[in-house]
Amino acid sequence: MKQVLFRNWLCNVHLGKYHNGRSALRLTDAVNNAPIATCTINEPLHQYPTKDNWVLIKNYSENKGIYKALLDAGVIEPMMDINQDESHHVILCEIPTDVYNKLEENKTFNG
């Protein structure tokens, strides 16, 4: 199980899918498995084409700082800033193949 430190929580990273097939990431508390955050957002596929290991990271509001936590833990690699507005910062990222494969083995939710 891949883990990240987000704010004061040591978290497990979980891979899932939204209804349209876009990949999603969620964090749960590593101690009690309580939900901490949904790291991603879902946008229409025609607006942002996707591959299985591409995710749109939500780095604003209650998720501010989640991008750096995931990046520092090696869960994601940046591809392109979608919106750099401070109130709505979204980054298109790729989950490295080895990390994606490990997360895929333990897929735990559907968005």
Side-chain angles (χ1 to χ4, degrees), residues 80-91:
M80 175 177 55
D81 271 350
I82 300 297
N83 187 339
Q84 296 185 31
D85 182 321
E86 191 64 29
S87 66
H88 192 91
H89 188 207
V90 176
I91 309 101

Side-chain angles (χ1 to χ4, degrees), residues 3-109:
Q3 293 187 321
V4 303
L5 183 62
F6 176 56
R7 298 193 184 144
N8 295 326
W9 293 287
L10 179 61
C11 301
N12 293 324
V13 180
H14 302 273
L15 177 69
K17 296 282 185 183
Y18 290 107
H19 66 278
N20 63 356
R22 184 181 297 282
S23 290
L25 293 175
R26 286 190 184 159
L27 301 181
T28 60
D29 188 290
V31 175
N32 61 19
N33 211 34
I36 300 297
T38 299
C39 309
T40 54
I41 62 169
N42 189 17
E43 294 289 339
L45 293 176
H46 69 274
Q47 188 173 357
Y48 297 105
T50 191
K51 292 185 179 179
D52 283 345
N53 65 329
W54 291 6
V55 289
L56 294 170
I57 301 297
K58 176 186 175 186
N59 193 52
Y60 59 93
S61 190
E62 72 278 0
N63 280 22
K64 192 161 179 78
I66 210 161
Y67 168 73
K68 183 171 179 355
L70 293 167
L71 189 64
D72 289 350
V75 175
I76 57 169
E77 296 175 351
M79 293 175 63
M80 175 177 55
D81 271 350
I82 300 297
N83 187 339
Q84 296 185 31
D85 182 321
E86 191 64 29
S87 66
H88 192 91
H89 188 207
V90 176
I91 309 101
L92 175 63
C93 295
E94 181 175 18
I95 303 169
T97 302
D98 61 324
V99 174
Y100 180 84
N101 289 339
K102 287 178 186 171
L103 292 172
E104 178 69 22
E105 290 173 9
N106 300 304
K107 190 164 47 174
T108 56
F109 73 94

